[in-house]
Amino acid sequence: MNELQVFSELHKFLNGLGSMNYTLAPKSLTLGYKPFSFSGGMPKFATLYGEKRYNCLILHVDPGNQESLKGKMIQKDIQELFHFNIKDMRSFTLKKHEVYVPFEVIHNKDRMEQLKDFVRRQYEIFVSR
C-alpha cells in the first residue's frame, strides 16, 4: 500500500468508528478527529498527517495531559507490533501523551487490519473515560 492509500483507508476507518467531527487544516493535508458529543468538549482522538515531514497517524491517548507517559507506553506496544522505531524514522518532537504510526510501516492489508484493531481498542478506551 502506498502512503496515500493508507491515509485514505484510515480516514474512512476513523469516520466509521462513531459519530466524528473532523477538521481539515487550511494549508496542508492534515485531518483531526474528535468524537461527537452532545455535551461538547470531547478532545481530539486522532490526527492524520499527510505532510511529507510527518506522514503518520497520531493517536491522542491522553489529551490535555502533556506530562502523561501513557503515549510512550503505548508507543512501545505499536512499535513492537510493526517492528519500527519512531525516533529512527521521524525527526520531529514526540509528545509523551501521543502515539505515532508512520504510514510506511502499513505496507499491506494484514498490517492495516492489525492497525485498525489497535486503533479500535484505543478508541473504546478513549470514549469510555
Side-chain angles (χ1 to χ4, degrees), residues 16-35:
L17 284 174
S19 295
M20 200 71 71
N21 291 325
Y22 66 93
T23 56
L24 176 62
K27 294 185 179 183
S28 68
L29 187 54
T30 303
L31 292 169
Y33 299 84
K34 283 184 176 183

Side-chain angles (χ1 to χ4, degrees), residues 7 28-31 48-56 103:
F7 185 97
S28 68
L29 187 54
T30 303
L31 292 169
L48 285 177
Y49 276 99
E51 290 182 18
K52 281 188 175 189
R53 183 174 161 222
Y54 288 88
N55 267 340
C56 65
F103 293 157

